């Protein structure tokens, strides 16, 4: 039972086995942070590897992880991780229950809590099972299991008689889920008042009390064992995808970061910003926990230059691993795709004689060099560029640098922008324009546009390799920059299609609808205009800040874009924010750059989102946005 | 109530039964009246759900006139009025003494919310001897899929057809493909699910199934052949067995979501599967009111599924 890979489903760790995850796990500095003895908030967009890290913290993840680094980390890790999963189906089921129980607000909260508790208890059982299996021998495996299982049955008030083993406890907990479902169904159509509904006692059990008592029981049970089990004194509750958990749970968990029980740590994964605004109650929540004092934030996206450098190293390791596993040592990606130097496109696009001779020139900006030709050509077809050169005291007819420092301060800075403008402007003036302009190629570009997202990088790599042509010996031919650009634009288009088809990307405001795809296009088209069409400048705006004039429903779509990694939070200052996205700076995911034909680069000159919409959207849409 | 049996029923035999209740609908499609006009349906209690909007549409006016003349009581509803439909059915059914009931539902022009509410009522009913519901559907003449596609507005569980499960095992997503492009796209990634596809085979008309294949080309090529199933609208019984077989096979390893994006008879099968098998979620995928009204004519074929509840 398998499917061909789509762009994003290649590497979702959620349902991979621990063995599968451990086999391809690459150690990162974020993982080093995550194993520290503190509460952590692991933040990043979808696909950035959060679930992989959480699952690698667990006893089973660590058990399957091999190698020197693994041995060293296993010795140092100061807690046992309990991985608590969540997913969209579960989220939507819980939301549906909330909607069905609209007339029973108190009961609705109780029902939501008991469902969360059961999910957490199942995770505790799974962790205990792993610990016992890994650390027991054939002589004491069953007795170890039975001893701790008996305690859980008593502590959690599991129906007696339940055989003292983990499977039976799991089945009893799953029976609770069925019982809860039936209770909810009967209540919904019972006609009872909210305050009159009678629930079984376990409906009111607090998940944290239950976890703490189970963990203490485990420690007590095994403290005399001559195994690793006797050393356990600290536990980490690892909640995945906090942003899709019920709001009450999000708030509680964030408040737990203040540190309630020294023996229980919280490791939470979430989107790059946690908004403390509640859409339903229209309230702004305050929290006591403070970043650095109470918890550490671990960011897992490319928010600065250092992270970009680290990502390139990681990307190289990941692609090598992938190619090695698929093709052995046969494929050298550098040979196949080459570099991302803009010279490769410019020399192809310029209509000048003696190209080979030009390429051999060591100095790139002297008279007769590649960029000398480019600047000269561009200033003839683009008046604003001509004016720009003149403003820098550069002669458009003979654009040689007037000084050595000018090479750095002007030439190196604008050569890519000028190249894009030249190729795209020339393209526009053609009667029959090509479907793809050759601007998107090279191994570094592949890392760049996958934008810190391992799942995306693997998807891109697989898509490229599967579209390559073979030589007579069956080896892959190297990819021309035209072919690479075509394939990469196709992938970028697919990304836009996915945004267009995302089930939550549509919001109704009154009787009108606004779609995330429209928002993304408005932003991308604005940046294209800024970079390619408007007067040439060295630092075109291609980041934006979200301002408070915008409708909350609209804000939800921006939050969704952030969660999905469609927009990237740059210069992050706040992790948990009362004002959510307001006044934060964002850019588009680099994978969208080929679609919008813009450079994958920031210029630190953000524009207000409301300004973008004022210039790019129709009046009717604008009204919706600012209502 | 529980489903006792699901059987294909010869439409020519519809006139042989005295129905306790007949439920039809009136909207902007001419085929709304086809079944009532074609088969001599007998009942002392006949009701018609009429859309609150499109009242001035020509076909709609004609349909309303026909149903009123034939003695149907007309009840106006919004397209997503689930609880109002539920309450009306409750009022009507409560009046009958406790004996076997025969009810005919012509859902050809009903919204999914309407006929899911009817089904939900019987799913939750536990004080009846037995009920036979004859779900009738008049197939429409082929009209090409609209060129401009409205984006999905409603994507989520249908009320009463969503369970609760723990996120410890993966999701399997069973999509019923329709011919509107992109309706089913994005769901697989959204749910991180293993996809399974159902669509109508050419026995229901080459033009329609070809359009389904063309407009879902990407999905059909991404999903492995063993996860793709075809069915015939006019053989719903067989399709139902295939669907429930698959769901039973998937349960335990997956949490199953049924996402019918295609013809209404497949949605009905999904709802019935969810009544029969616990823990199947049925999702509604729809563009809501953004869908443009198109007058569809009946093509002369009727498919009837007899569902017996006990």
């Amino acid at each position: 039972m398998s499917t061909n890979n789509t762009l994003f489903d290649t590497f979702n760790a959620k349902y991979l086995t621990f063995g599968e995850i451990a086999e391809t796990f690459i150690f990162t500095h974020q993982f080093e942070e995550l194993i520290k003895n503190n509460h952590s908030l692991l933040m990043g967009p979808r696909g950035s590897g959060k679930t992989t890290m959480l699952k690698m913290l667990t006893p089973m993840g660590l058990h399957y992880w091999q190698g020197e680094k693994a041995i060293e980390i296993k010795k140092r890790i100061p807690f046992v991780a309990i991985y608590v999963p969540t997913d969209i189906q579960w989220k939507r089921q819980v939301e549906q229950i909330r909607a069905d129980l609209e007339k029973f607000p108190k009961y609705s909260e109780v029902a939501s809590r008991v469902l969360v508790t059961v999910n957490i208890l199942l995770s505790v059982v799974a962790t205990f099972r792993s610990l016992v299996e890994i650390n027991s021998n054939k002589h004491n495996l069953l007795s170890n299991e039975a001893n701790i299982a008996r305690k859980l049955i008593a502590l959690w008030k599991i129906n007696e008689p339940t055989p003292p083993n983990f499977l039976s406890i799991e089945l009893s907990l799953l029976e609770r889920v069925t019982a809860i479902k039936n209770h909810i169904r009967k209540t919904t159509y019972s006609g009872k008042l909210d305050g009159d509904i009678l629930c079984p006692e376990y409906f009111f059990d607090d998940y944290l009390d239950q976890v703490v008592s189970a963990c203490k029981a485990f420690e007590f049970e095994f403290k005399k064992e001559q195994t690793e089990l006797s050393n356990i004194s600290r536990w980490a509750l690892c909640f995945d995808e906090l942003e899709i958990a019920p709001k009450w749970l999000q708030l509680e968990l964030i408040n737990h970061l203040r540190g309630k029980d020294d023996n229980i740590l919280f490791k939470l994964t979430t989107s790059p910003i946690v908004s403390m605004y509640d859409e339903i109650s229209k309230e702004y929540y305050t929290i006591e926990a403070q970043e650095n004092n109470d918890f550490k934030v671990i960011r897992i996206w490319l928010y600065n230059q250092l992270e970009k450098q680290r990502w390139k190293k990681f990307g190289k390791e990941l692609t090598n691993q992938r190619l090695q596993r698929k093709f052995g040592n046969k494929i050298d990606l550098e040979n196949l795709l080459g570099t991302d130097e803009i010279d490769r496109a410019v020399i192809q696009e310029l209509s000048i004689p003696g190209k080979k001779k030009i390429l051999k020139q060591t100095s790139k900006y002297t008279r007769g060099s590649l960029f000398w030709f480019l600047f000269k050509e561009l200033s003839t077809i683009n008046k604003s560029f001509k004016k720009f050169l003149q403003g820098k005291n550069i002669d458009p007819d003979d654009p040689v640098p007037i000084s050595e420092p000018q090479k750095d301060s002007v030439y190196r800075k604008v050569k890519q922008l000028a190249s894009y403008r030249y190729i795209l402007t020339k393209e526009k003036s053609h009667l029959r324009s090509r479907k793809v302009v050759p601007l998107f190629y090279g191994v570094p570009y592949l890392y760049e546009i996958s934008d810190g997202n391992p799942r995306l990088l693997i998807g891109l790599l697989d898509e490229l390799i599967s579209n390559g042509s073979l030589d007579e010996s069956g080896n892959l031919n190297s990819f021309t920059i035209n072919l690479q650009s075509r394939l990469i634009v196709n992938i970028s288009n697919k990304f836009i299609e996915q945004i267009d088809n995302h089930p939550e990307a549509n919001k109704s405001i009154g009787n009108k609808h606004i779609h995330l795809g429209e928002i993304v296009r408005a932003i991308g088209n604005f940046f294209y205009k800024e970079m390619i069409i408007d007067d040439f400048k060295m630092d075109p705006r291609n980041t934006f800040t979200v301002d408070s004039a915008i409708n909350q429903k609209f804000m939800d779509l921006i939050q969704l874009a952030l969660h999905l990694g469609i927009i990237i939070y740059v210069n992050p200052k706040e992790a948990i924010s009362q004002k959510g996205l307001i006044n934060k700076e964002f850019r588009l995911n680099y994978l969208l750059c080929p679609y919008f034909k813009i450079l994958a680069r920031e210029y630190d000159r953000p524009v207000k989102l409301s300004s973008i919409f004022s210039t790019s959207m129709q009046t009717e849409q604008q009204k919706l946005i600012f209502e | 109530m529980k489903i006792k049996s699901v059987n294909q029923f010869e439409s020519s035999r519809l006139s042989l039964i005295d129905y306790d209740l007949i439920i039809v609908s009136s909207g902007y499609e001419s085929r709304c009246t086809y079944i009532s006009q074609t088969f001599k349906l007998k009942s002392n209690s006949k009701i018609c759900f009429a859309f609150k909007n499109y009242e001035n549409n020509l076909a709609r006016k004609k349909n309303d006139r026909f149903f009123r003349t034939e003695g149907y009581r007309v009840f106006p509803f919004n397209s997503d009025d689930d609880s109002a439909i539920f309450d009306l059915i409750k009022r009507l059914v409560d009046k009958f003494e406790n004996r076997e009931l025969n009810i005919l539902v012509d859902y050809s022009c009903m919204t999914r919310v309407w006929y899911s509410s009817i089904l939900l009522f019987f799913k939750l009913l536990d004080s009846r001897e037995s009920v036979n519901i004859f779900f009738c559907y008049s197939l429409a003449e082929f009209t090409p899929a609209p060129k401009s596609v409205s984006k999905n507005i409603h994507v989520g569980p249908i009320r009463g057809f969503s369970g609760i499960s723990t996120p410890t095992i993966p999701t399997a997503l069973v999509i019923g493909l329709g011919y509107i492009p992109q309706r089913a796209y994005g769901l697989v990634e959204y749910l991180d699910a293993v996809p399974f596809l159902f669509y109508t085979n050419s026995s229901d008309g080459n033009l329609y199934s070809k359009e389904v294949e063309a407009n879902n080309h990407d999905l059909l090529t991404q999903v492995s052949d063993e996860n793709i199933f075809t069915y015939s609208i006019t053989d719903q019984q067989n399709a139902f067995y295939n669907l429930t077989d698959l769901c039973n096979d998937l349960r335990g390893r997956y949490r199953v979501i049924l996402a019918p994006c295609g013809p209404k008879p497949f949605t009905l099968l999904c709802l019935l599967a969810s009544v029969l098998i616990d823990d199947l979620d049925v999702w509604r995928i729809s563009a809501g009111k953004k869908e443009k009204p198109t007058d569809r004519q009946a093509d002369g074929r009727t498919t009837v599924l007899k569902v017996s509840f006990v």
Side-chain angles (χ1 to χ4, degrees), chain B residues 37-50:
Chain B
Q37 279 186 328
T38 308
F39 305 100
K40 288 174 184 167
L41 304 176
K42 291 171 284 186
S43 176
N44 291 327
S45 182
K46 297 194 277 190
I47 62 164
C48 170
F49 302 161

Side-chain angles (χ1 to χ4, degrees), chain A residues 423-435:
Chain A
I423 293 170
L424 292 167
T425 310
K426 208 174 134 220
E427 188 67 22
K428 241 185 155 184
S429 64
H430 281 179
L431 284 176
R432 280 175 55 193
S433 65
R434 294 167 291 184
K435 278 188 176 169

Side-chain angles (χ1 to χ4, degrees), chain A residues 1-9 12 14-15 46 85-94 96-97 99-100 115 118-119 122 174 177-178 181 185 188-189 455 494 497-498 500-504 506 513 515, chain B residues 86 120 123-124 151-153 155-157 159-160 162-171 182 185-187 189-192 194-196 218 221-224 226-227 253-257 278-279 281 283 290:
Chain A
M1 195 179 293
S2 64
T3 62
N4 296 329
N5 293 334
T6 59
L7 190 53
F8 296 93
D9 68 355
N12 192 340
K14 193 171 285 166
Y15 302 119
R46 188 172 193 246
T86 186
D87 65 16
I88 293 286
Q89 184 179 4
W90 190 72
K91 173 201 168 194
R92 297 299 299 264
Q93 287 176 331
V94 173
Q96 189 59 43
I97 287 172
D100 289 347
L115 288 167
V118 174
N119 186 30
L122 281 166
L174 291 172
V177 176
T178 308
K181 185 177 70 182
R185 190 179 288 169
T188 312
Y189 299 96
R455 211 188 297 177
K494 273 191 193 174
E497 274 174 27
Q498 290 205 344
D500 285 340
N501 292 308
H502 192 279
E504 290 183 17
N506 218 327
H513 295 274
H515 198 278
Chain B
F86 187 97
L120 178 63
K123 179 185 168 184
L124 297 173
K151 292 195 167 64
N152 292 330
I153 302 292
V155 180
R159 193 175 177 200
S162 161
I164 186 73
S165 53
T166 51
T168 44
I169 49 173
T171 300
Q182 295 171 13
Y185 284 23
L187 283 173
E189 285 82 8
Y190 175 60
L191 289 157
D192 283 329
V194 179
F196 296 82
D218 281 3
T221 49
Q222 278 164 13
V223 175
S224 67
E226 70 210 65
N227 290 9
R253 290 179 293 138
Y254 297 96
R255 292 169 298 143
V256 183
I257 293 179
D278 218 16
D279 293 331
D281 289 0
W283 279 34
K290 280 174 81 180

Side-chain angles (χ1 to χ4, degrees), chain B residues 199-210:
Chain B
Y199 70 101
T200 52
N201 55 33
S202 53
S203 63
D204 295 319
N206 264 326
L207 287 174
Y208 181 80
S209 62
K210 277 190 177 155

Side-chain angles (χ1 to χ4, degrees), chain B:
Chain B
M1 299 185 87
K2 302 274 181 212
I3 290 179
K4 181 184 150 200
S5 61
V6 173
N7 293 301
Q8 199 70 32
F9 190 80
E10 272 295 319
S11 57
S12 56
R13 294 170 58 208
L14 284 174
S15 53
L16 303 178
I17 299 163
D18 275 328
Y19 299 100
D20 297 284
L21 177 64
I22 294 177
I23 309 168
V24 298
S25 67
S26 177
Y28 51 73
E29 295 185 32
S30 298
R31 68 171 162 152
C32 291
T33 56
Y34 176 79
I35 288 171
S36 300
Q37 279 186 328
T38 308
F39 305 100
K40 288 174 184 167
L41 304 176
K42 291 171 284 186
S43 176
N44 291 327
S45 182
K46 297 194 277 190
I47 62 164
C48 170
F49 302 161
F51 286 83
K52 272 190 178 167
N53 44 0
Y54 309 116
E55 278 174 332
N56 294 320
N57 179 290
L58 273 181
R60 166 64 192 279
K61 282 182 176 171
K62 207 174 154 193
N63 293 338
D64 281 0
R65 255 197 319 273
F66 169 81
F67 285 125
R68 285 205 166 92
T69 314
E70 291 295 310
Y72 284 82
R73 282 181 290 159
V74 177
F75 296 88
F77 292 112
N78 284 321
S79 57
D80 51 3
D81 258 349
D82 53 355
S83 49
I85 298 269
F86 187 97
D87 292 344
L88 174 64
I89 302 297
K90 185 174 183 336
R91 279 204 309 276
L92 293 168
V93 172
D94 280 352
K95 284 181 188 165
F96 296 117
E97 59 197 39
N98 194 9
R99 57 173 170 79
E100 186 180 64
L101 297 180
N102 287 313
I103 297 171
L104 183 144
V105 177
D106 175 2
Y107 64 104
S108 313
C109 302
M110 287 187 188
T111 68
R112 285 165 173 80
V113 173
W114 287 0
Y115 60 91
S116 68
S117 297
I118 298 172
L119 203 50
L120 178 63
F121 171 77
F122 290 101
K123 179 185 168 184
L124 297 173
L125 187 68
D126 54 8
S127 56
R128 276 271 149 206
E129 181 73 17
S130 61
V131 178
N132 302 312
I133 306 183
F134 298 82
F135 284 101
C136 305
Y137 182 81
S138 152
L139 278 75
E141 280 178 5
F142 176 76
T143 47
K147 286 204 173 108
S148 66
V149 181
S150 320
K151 292 195 167 64
N152 292 330
I153 302 292
H154 301 286
V155 180
I158 297 178
R159 193 175 177 200
F161 293 88
S162 161
I164 186 73
S165 53
T166 51
T168 44
I169 49 173
T171 300
L173 178 66
V174 181
I175 303 173
L177 297 176
Y179 77 163
I180 297 182
Q182 295 171 13
R183 189 60 79 232
Y185 284 23
L187 283 173
V188 178
E189 285 82 8
Y190 175 60
L191 289 157
D192 283 329
V194 179
F196 296 82
L197 307 178
F198 273 77
Y199 70 101
T200 52
N201 55 33
S202 53
S203 63
D204 295 319
N206 264 326
L207 287 174
Y208 181 80
S209 62
K210 277 190 177 155
E211 189 118 325
V212 172
E213 282 174 354
N215 290 343
N216 292 284
H217 177 261
D218 281 3
L219 259 180
L220 285 164
T221 49
Q222 278 164 13
V223 175
S224 67
D225 289 348
E226 70 210 65
N227 290 9
I228 300 176
F229 304 83
T230 61
Y231 66 92
S232 164
I233 293 183
T234 49
D235 187 1
Q236 284 179 281
Q237 182 177 333
N238 197 32
F240 184 68
Y241 289 150
N242 286 338
L243 179 65
T244 48
D245 261 4
L246 174 69
C247 292
N248 277 320
D249 182 43
L250 294 173
R251 280 177 81 211
R253 290 179 293 138
Y254 297 96
R255 292 169 298 143
V256 183
I257 293 179
L258 307 176
C261 307
K264 285 170 185 168
F266 189 77
T267 306
L268 176 70
L269 299 184
C270 292
L271 295 165
L272 290 170
S274 172
V275 175
L276 186 71
I277 304 168
D278 218 16
D279 293 331
L280 301 183
D281 289 0
V282 186
W283 279 34
R284 177 184 174 206
I285 320 291
S286 126
K289 288 171 188 164
K290 280 174 81 180
E291 267 169 14
K292 282 184 185 162
T294 310
D295 183 9
R296 291 191 175 86
Q297 309 285 333
D299 79 349
R301 290 177 296 164
T302 301
T303 178
V304 184
L305 200 63
K306 180 186 173 187
V307 182
S308 299
F309 289 88
V310 286

Side-chain angles (χ1 to χ4, degrees), chain A residues 431-457:
Chain A
L431 284 176
R432 280 175 55 193
S433 65
R434 294 167 291 184
K435 278 188 176 169
V436 173
V437 283
L439 282 168
F440 319 111
Y441 53 82
V443 177
Y445 192 71
L446 190 67
Y447 298 145
E448 201 156 38
I449 58 165
S450 48
D451 215 338
N453 187 320
R455 211 188 297 177
L456 208 50
L457 178 57

